[in-house]
């Protein structure tokens, strides 16, 4: 297993992005061990901690999810996309930044559900993957795991749900996550702060005005299509391993 660190025109003179290979979700939940495979992320994240910085809110982490398993159950993909776009308060809190010009929520319709030339969506639907773009970049491995755990939990939750999550359904989802501590430990720790924040009565954006000296401003015309290496190739066959 390997990682690729490469220059990206959207990151300015000194910025780089690190791209990982397709990995099963087990690389980011529970113990992080993958049977028969090496997980390159823990060693890499430990080495860059304290050396690499994330200077602004404009640097993000993208998680790519295979669309293939979602076709196995009618309406599953739509329920997942509805949840990402409608449960805004929770999604922005977990992501660590509010929606912005480079990752915005979409209303129901083609811009939400279909592949498009408009990639600046929180959930960017491509031909083979759904790219979740809103997560703020971190050098913490636990924080990275929490991001992927959130995607996995939302996928599993919406597989059997009657509809997608709305803004009022966040606590129901959180209780579902809390019932699976061995799988979603990093996410549960992150959500502990959310419960107090949400109960204070705030409704929409959890974060103040961000530092959006965004790296994309260096070259607005740069088309970054180099994110095709999935951080999380969602494996539907592991769905039955939930701790019910």
């Amino acid at each position: 297993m390997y990682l690729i660190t490469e220059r990206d025109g959207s990151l300015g003179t000194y910025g780089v992005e690190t791209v990982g290979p397709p990995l099963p979700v087990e690389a980011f939940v529970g113990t992080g061990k993958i049977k028969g495979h090496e997980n390159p992320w823990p060693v890499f994240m430990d080495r860059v901690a304290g050396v690499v910085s994330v200077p602004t809110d404009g640097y993000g982490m993208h998680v790519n999810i295979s669309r293939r398993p979602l076709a196995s159950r009618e309406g599953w993909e739509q329920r997942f996309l509805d949840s990402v776009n409608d449960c805004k308060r929770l999604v922005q809190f977990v992501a660590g930044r509010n929606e912005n010009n480079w990752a915005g929520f979409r209303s129901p319709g083609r811009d939400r559900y279909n592949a498009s030339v408009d990639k600046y969506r929180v959930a960017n639907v491509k031909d083979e993957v759904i790219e979740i773009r809103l997560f703020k970049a971190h050098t913490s491995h636990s924080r990275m795991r929490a991001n992927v755990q959130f995607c996995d939990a939302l996928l599993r939750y919406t597989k059997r749900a009657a509809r997608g999550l709305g803004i009022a359904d966040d606590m129901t989802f959180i209780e579902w996550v809390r019932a699976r501590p061995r799988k979603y430990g990093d996410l549960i720790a992150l959500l502990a702060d959310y419960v107090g924040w949400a109960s204070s009565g705030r409704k929409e954006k959890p974060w103040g005005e961000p530092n959006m000296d965004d790296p994309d401003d260096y070259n607005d015309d740069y088309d970054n299509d180099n994110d095709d290496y999935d951080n999380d190739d969602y494996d539907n066959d592991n769905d039955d391993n939930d701790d019910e």
Side-chain angles (χ1 to χ4, degrees), residues 54 56-63 83-85 87-100 102-105 121-123 131-140 142-151 154 173-174 186-187 189-191 193-194 197 204-208 210 212:
V54 182
T56 80
D57 294 324
Y59 289 76
M61 169 185 167
H62 298 176
V63 178
S83 300
V84 171
N85 284 280
C87 201
K88 298 179 181 180
R89 181 172 64 177
L90 177 61
V91 170
Q92 290 175 123
F93 186 92
V94 174
R97 58 181 183 173
N98 300 329
E99 69 168 320
N100 52 65
W102 300 272
F105 295 111
R121 301 176 284 180
V122 170
E131 177 190 41
I132 307 301
R133 297 174 52 91
L134 187 58
F135 297 116
K136 181 180 177 180
H138 290 271
T139 57
S140 163
S142 175
R143 195 63 179 76
M144 176 187 187
R145 282 169 52 91
N147 291 344
V148 180
Q149 287 172 18
F150 178 71
C151 294
L154 197 56
F173 171 71
I174 288 173
D186 301 273
L187 178 58
L190 176 63
L191 291 175
D193 292 332
Y194 175 81
W197 174 82
E204 277 294 333
K205 296 184 177 181
W207 308 107
M212 291 307 290

Side-chain angles (χ1 to χ4, degrees), residues 103-117:
F105 295 111
R106 293 293 184 267
S107 301
R110 290 188 56 84
D111 284 346
R112 175 179 288 189
Y113 305 123
N114 299 95
S116 169
V117 294

Side-chain angles (χ1 to χ4, degrees), residues 144-209:
M144 176 187 187
R145 282 169 52 91
N147 291 344
V148 180
Q149 287 172 18
F150 178 71
C151 294
D152 180 66
L154 197 56
L155 281 162
R156 295 182 188 278
Y157 186 88
T158 54
K159 179 178 181 179
R160 297 183 175 91
R163 59 179 177 81
L165 292 176
I167 193 170
D169 300 317
D170 47 4
M171 296 304 175
T172 302
F173 171 71
I174 288 173
E175 289 306 312
W176 185 91
V177 171
R178 282 175 165 173
R180 293 156 175 81
R182 287 188 297 172
K183 180 173 288 185
Y184 300 132
D186 301 273
L187 178 58
I188 291 171
L190 176 63
L191 291 175
D193 292 332
Y194 175 81
V195 175
W197 174 82
S199 64
S200 69
R202 302 175 188 173
K203 295 301 181 184
E204 277 294 333
K205 296 184 177 181
W207 308 107
E209 288 301 317

